[in-house]
Amino acid sequence: MIQTVHCVDLLRGGVASVLFSYASACEDISFNFISIATVDEEARKRVDAVGGRVIADGIGSTGELRAALTAARKVTGANIFHVHRNWHNLLPAKIAREVGYPIVISHSHNVFPSTSRLKDAYHAVFRRLIKRYVDECWGCSPEAIEFLYGRNPKNSLFLPNPISFSSFCFSPERRAAIRDALGLGDALTLIHSGLPIPQKNHRFLLRVFRGVLDANPDAKLLLLGPDEENDEWLVREAELLGVRGSVKFCGYVDKVSDYYAAGDLFLFPSLNEGLSLALCEAQAEGLSFIASDEITRASDLFANGVFLPIDRGPDIWTECILSGDFKRKVPTVDQINSCPFNVEWCSPRLEATYAALQAGEAHSSILSIWGGVA
């Protein structure tokens, strides 16, 4: 069993889902976690379910981070330290090298627009320094790799966000039962999944839905992630726009496939993404989608989506929803088997890559195996 230590900002959201998917599928890899944010009980159950451990969480200082990395290496005997904090990868990587991890991996999970010259200067310094402390520069897409490390990353590897297609088994009977349980009737049902953070662009999404309701008063919007109790700002936004009665704040859901089966169209107006697992999983359930044109085209797995700008206002999104002929296209067995995002394809390659690194051997870049972007 190869022991690994993964440092994350929090054990919720897309990055956590990616790691849990790999942890479930990789029989020869043990995933142990250090979380900067406090880990809640639900996330701890998910860690337990994949045979992992939360070594430390709620870390508020450099000293605490150093102590956590030291303890993780002592407790697990791990040789591999894998950090998933994007521009904040530098400090954990430096500490990991100092406390004796033989293998240090930096992972890019996102693409952010430039917001200031000061940040641009930090990014330039980061790209020079990260090569000192890490052995590998990984990312969830070619865009994410270039964004974080520049044009000449050190030992880059494109590791896909994995999809467990066996968890997505659409059937009309299941869809009807779920829609009945959710009280959707025959209403046009739009769906979005994502944490209630600025990057996910929920305010824009609600404005799009306002336009849809004007033309189709029975339409519904399911929001997976936000909940009424903890995200009052988003509830207020829905009330101000007059759409509150047609929006279901579903909160964290354990089985997203049920909601994707119930939906008619997946909307994803993010300001930026590395490569969204939620968007890929929606397609695994056969949903068509409309996504921001800021998102990598590698996320269109089965040519079943439309990419639209978000800087020209919500009206073009509304018009596309109302005028488009979006049909569910459940992927075929051949499409599933040939999809490089299939966890059954990805997980053996991750296991082989970790094993090669631990043995001091070279590994192949998944990007070169694909011959380009899938």
Side-chain angles (χ1 to χ4, degrees):
M1 180 73 71
I2 296 176
Q3 296 287 335
T4 60
V5 175
H6 296 263
C7 182
V8 298
D9 284 319
L10 70 166
L11 277 173
R12 283 279 192 180
V15 173
S17 294
V18 167
L19 293 175
F20 289 142
S21 292
Y22 273 120
S24 297
C26 293
E27 296 180 355
D28 297 326
I29 308 295
S30 176
F31 285 69
N32 305 286
F33 298 96
I34 295 172
S35 173
I36 302 303
T38 301
V39 178
D40 61 31
E41 190 59 34
E42 188 64 40
R44 289 184 186 276
K45 290 178 181 177
R46 295 188 73 185
V47 173
D48 291 340
V50 298
R53 284 180 286 184
V54 177
I55 304 298
D57 66 321
I59 295 170
S61 69
T62 300
E64 289 177 357
L65 182 60
R66 181 179 294 274
L69 267 67
T70 302
R73 177 149 166 74
K74 182 178 180 180
V75 169
T76 67
N79 289 325
I80 297 175
F81 178 78
H82 197 152
V83 58
H84 305 265
R85 303 185 60 214
N86 296 308
W87 290 117
H88 299 291
N89 285 358
L90 189 59
L91 180 60
K94 179 177 181 291
I95 294 174
R97 187 62 78 204
E98 291 170 350
V99 301
Y101 286 88
I103 303 157
V104 180
I105 302 169
S106 170
H107 205 124
S108 175
H109 289 273
N110 223 321
V111 176
F112 296 98
S114 175
T115 56
S116 72
R117 291 183 178 179
L118 182 60
K119 287 186 177 180
D120 288 343
Y122 169 74
H123 295 169
V125 172
F126 173 97
R127 287 168 177 155
R128 289 197 300 270
L129 293 181
I130 195 69
K131 296 177 182 179
R132 292 186 185 179
Y133 304 116
V134 305
D135 302 284
E136 304 277 319
C137 292
W138 294 10
C140 64
S141 69
E143 292 88 346
I145 291 173
E146 182 173 338
F147 164 75
L148 192 63
Y149 311 114
R151 294 186 178 276
N152 296 295
K154 180 180 182 181
N155 296 331
S156 67
L157 186 142
F158 174 7
L159 184 69
N161 292 345
I163 305 169
S164 177
F165 281 96
S166 61
S167 301
F168 299 89
C169 303
F170 177 80
S171 73
E173 295 77 16
R174 177 164 155 266
R175 169 180 164 84
I178 296 166
R179 285 181 68 90
D180 183 62
L182 293 173
L184 298 175
D186 296 326
L188 169 66
T189 302
L190 310 175
I191 188 165
H192 175 272
S193 179
L195 293 173
I197 56 177
Q199 174 191 358
K200 302 301 180 182
N201 212 6
H202 281 91
R203 284 192 169 93
F204 180 89
L205 178 63
L206 291 178
R207 290 167 62 203
V208 170
F209 185 57
R210 173 67 270 171
V212 172
L213 272 186
D214 288 341
N216 186 341
D218 294 328
K220 303 295 183 185
L221 174 63
L222 307 182
L223 296 181
L224 311 186
D227 64 67
E228 295 182 10
E229 181 178 349
N230 295 309
D231 303 301
E232 294 180 359
W233 67 271
L234 192 54
V235 176
R236 288 195 300 271
E237 192 76 15
E239 289 172 346
L240 288 172
L241 288 169
V243 302
R244 175 66 187 89
S246 300
V247 177
K248 291 183 179 291
F249 292 84
C250 302
Y252 171 79
V253 298
D254 186 50
K255 198 171 182 182
V256 295
S257 58
D258 284 349
Y259 291 83
Y260 292 163
D264 295 309
L265 179 64
F266 191 79
L267 303 181
F268 208 65
S270 291
L271 300 175
N272 48 269
E273 293 282 345
L275 197 151
S276 167
L277 183 62
L279 179 54
C280 292
E281 289 182 338
Q283 294 169 76
E285 194 67 28
L287 277 174
S288 299
F289 69 87
I290 304 175
S292 161
D293 65 1
E294 297 294 327
I295 295 173
T296 175
R297 301 307 189 268
S299 57
D300 189 359
L301 303 184
F302 308 115
N304 199 21
V306 175
F307 294 89
L308 294 178
I310 53 177
D311 57 0
R312 289 166 50 191
D315 290 350
I316 59 172
W317 282 63
T318 299
E319 182 180 347
C320 186
I321 293 167
L322 296 173
S323 63
D325 183 21
F326 296 101
K327 296 179 180 179
R328 188 177 296 271
K329 297 179 181 177
V330 179
T332 66
V333 172
D334 285 345
Q335 286 178 316
I336 290 172
N337 289 339
S338 63
C339 179
F341 290 78
N342 188 337
V343 70
E344 294 182 10
W345 192 97
C346 300
S347 57
R349 286 157 177 79
L350 177 60
E351 289 182 315
T353 301
Y354 276 150
L357 288 172
Q358 182 137 302
E361 301 170 355
H363 64 79
S364 298
S365 164
I366 288 182
L367 181 58
S368 68
I369 292 172
W370 287 4
V373 179

